[in-house]
Amino acid sequence: MKTQQDTAVFLLRIALAAGFLSAVASRLNLWGTQSSGWKNFVHYTAETNSFLPPLWAAIIAILSTIAELSIGILLLLGFQIKRTARYASVLTLFFAIAMSISFGIKEPLDYSVFAFSAGAFLLSTFSQYTWSFDHFLHQ
């Protein structure tokens, strides 16, 4: 049972990291023709945060990209997992709420943003993280 839980926690951590890093890679055109690109991301950021002044879109896009890149790398490495997972949960919850306000509840449900946020919150609740840099440091 313990090995299954360790495996599940590891896979959740890697899946969350991959989700964040893939989104950043798409903005930076690292996925080639499948990339969204930076310009499209700033436009989508403005649409998602339609309740804020449009001039804020570029700043929000930059800050969210830095946050997502940092969270993705830290989760992938397994460093400061508990804290990083909490930040990931809050960031994605804010994203889901903004999507809900601007597009309605269907959009964040279709893209599983609430599930992503809940998964990150769940990851933050574990007391140890086998197969991580944190585990290595505490041995």
Side-chain angles (χ1 to χ4, degrees), residues 31-44:
W31 282 121
T33 58
Q34 295 179 329
S35 294
S36 61
W38 184 255
K39 189 175 179 179
N40 288 336
F41 177 64
V42 173
H43 179 72
Y44 181 70

Side-chain angles (χ1 to χ4, degrees), residues 97-113:
I97 291 168
M99 289 175 78
S100 298
I101 291 169
S102 296
F103 307 122
I105 194 69
K106 183 181 181 305
E107 186 100 357
L109 290 173
D110 283 356
Y111 290 103
S112 304
V113 184

